[in-house]
């Protein structure tokens, strides 16, 4: 399986994440990718290709224009306002404050477009974000042109990003771009399987009203886990999308027995849906030693999960999402790919 990966991911490396009232080195850091690359090479998966430039057309089609303009100019506006630090959201429109009017003031605009404030933006975040999207696009193009599967080693991740919000370390939704690209290439129905520990609220939101893209997510229950406000089992889609969303929220301490049962159920839902192509949001933060998560998967479990996913028999793009037990991220992510390939 070929990997698409851009060196430009390093251009997103904020100094700080707001965590527990402290500014700490972000969990989502460039070295995560180094561990994945090292493991790919160790396992002989050395077909690693630079994706080139992102195709802006599909990104514009998927995004709110004001949101894209914000991401492109946020840093310059932040500096022009005289702020010395990285961009961090402070005031967000919650409950009865939502008039849908983005402020002119950059501090206000940051809050308007943020869904969480842990994620900082720097001068070069946007360039790294586009390189991540480019990897998803190139991997999908590779599968559309006949490869059975491809791995987009995306960084920053994407599954929390909506058409008009960033946060949870995500800015542009790479998995959603891949799914739309499959649709545009002629696949009538596409499925997205999100095995990251966190609910893929952004992906869900983008496809919630659509019947052509099925979204399934296995994640920590919202009562206990970020993003806290979405990912309940009774979120099943709306309108044309009714029945095309499947959420599997699970409790602290969940191990592979229960998790793999949910995976099998999601897989059978995807089969019944009649998907012609698959996008996997490949987070490996369900791992037992992940510092910000609470499932108990072990490294061999990821290989078994890859095997089960391969049972769908679908052309597949894997998009890297989370995983913060840094030294195990490579083993766990590549285990999914090897389980898939060996199936
Ligand atoms: C992104 B992905 C620690 C909690 C921060 C954000 C988690 C984002 C996870 N400060 N909450 O889904 O792996
Ligand atoms: Zn995650």
């Amino acid at each position: 399986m070929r990997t698409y990966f851009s060196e430009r991911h390093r251009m997103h490396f904020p100094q700080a994440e707001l965590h527990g009232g402290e500014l700490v080195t972000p969990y989502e850091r460039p070295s995560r990718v180094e561990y994945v690359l090292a493991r790919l090479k160790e396992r002989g998966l050395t077909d690693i290709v630079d994706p080139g430039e992102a195709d802006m057309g599909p990104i514009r089609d998927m995004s709110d224009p004001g949101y894209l303009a914000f991401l492109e100019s946020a840093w310059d506006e932040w500096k022009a306002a005289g702020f010395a630090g990285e961009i961090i959201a402070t005031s967000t429109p919650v409950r009865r404050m939502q008039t849908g009017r983005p402020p002119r003031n950059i501090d206000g605009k940051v809050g308007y477009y943020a869904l969480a404030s842990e994620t900082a933006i720097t001068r070069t975040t946007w360039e790294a974000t586009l390189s991540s999207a480019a990897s998803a696009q190139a991997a999908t193009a590779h599968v559309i042109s006949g490869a059975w599967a491809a791995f987009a080693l995306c960084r920053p991740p994407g599954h929390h990003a909506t058409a008009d919000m960033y946060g949870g370390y995500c800015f542009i939704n790479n998995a959603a771009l891949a799914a739309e690209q499959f649709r545009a290439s002629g696949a009538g129905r596409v499925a997205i399987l999100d095995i990251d520990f966190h609910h893929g609220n952004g992906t869900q939101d983008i496809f919630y009203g659509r019947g052509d893209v099925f979204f399934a997510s296995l994640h920590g229950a919202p009562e206990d886990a970020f993003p806290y406000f979405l990912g309940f089992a009774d979120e099943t889609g709306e309108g044309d999308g009714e029945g095309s969303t499947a959420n599997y929220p699970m409790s602290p301490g969940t191990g592979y027995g229960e998790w793999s049962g949910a995976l099998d159920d999601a897989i059978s839902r995807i089969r019944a849906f009649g998907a012609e192509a698959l996008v996997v949001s490949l987070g490996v933060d369900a791992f037992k030693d992940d510092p910000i998560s609470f499932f108990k998967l072990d490294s061999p479990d990821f290989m078994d999960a890859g095997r089960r996913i391969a049972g769908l028999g679908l052309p597949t793009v894997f998009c890297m999402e989370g995983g913060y037990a840094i030294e195990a991220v490579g083993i766990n992510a590549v285990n999914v790919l090897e389980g898939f390939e060996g199936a």
Side-chain angles (χ1 to χ4, degrees), residues 16-27 88 117-118 169 291-292:
E17 169 177 338
L18 185 54
H19 174 74
E22 290 182 295
L23 292 170
V24 302
T25 301
Y27 288 92
I88 293 187
S117 66
E118 82 287 292
Y169 316 149
I292 61 170

Side-chain angles (χ1 to χ4, degrees), residues 159-160 196-198 283 285 292-293 321-324:
H159 73 150
H160 296 302
D196 185 281
F197 167 81
H198 301 93
D285 36 12
I292 61 170
S293 308
E321 302 281 1
Y324 310 99

Side-chain angles (χ1 to χ4, degrees), residues 147-264:
W148 187 240
F151 177 38
L153 180 38
C154 296
R155 182 183 174 275
H159 73 150
H160 296 302
T162 71
D164 58 0
M165 286 185 276
Y166 77 96
Y169 316 149
C170 302
F171 302 92
I172 291 289
N173 196 309
N174 303 308
L177 280 176
E180 290 283 38
Q181 197 171 333
F182 274 129
R183 285 284 293 109
S185 80
R189 297 189 145 210
V190 177
I192 303 173
L193 173 62
D194 189 327
I195 63 169
D196 185 281
F197 167 81
H198 301 93
H199 178 243
N201 64 284
T203 317
Q204 171 172 304
D205 184 65
I206 288 167
F207 297 111
Y208 207 60
R210 284 173 48 176
D212 56 336
V213 177
F214 190 89
F215 175 69
S217 179
L218 281 59
H219 50 268
E223 294 90 339
D224 301 306
F226 183 89
Y228 299 117
F229 313 115
L230 276 182
F232 295 93
D234 61 4
E235 295 159 19
T236 56
E238 67 185 11
D240 291 346
E242 186 58 62
S244 300
T245 292
N247 281 311
Y248 300 86
M250 289 170 276
S251 307
T254 293
Y256 193 63
E258 183 184 350
W259 194 91
S260 63
L263 178 64
D264 286 344

Side-chain angles (χ1 to χ4, degrees), residues 32 35-36 39-40 284 325-335:
R32 297 175 58 245
Y35 280 98
V36 180
R39 181 66 176 176
L40 285 168
V284 291
I326 309 262
E327 289 173 29
V329 167
I331 292 168
N332 293 338
V334 176
N335 273 0

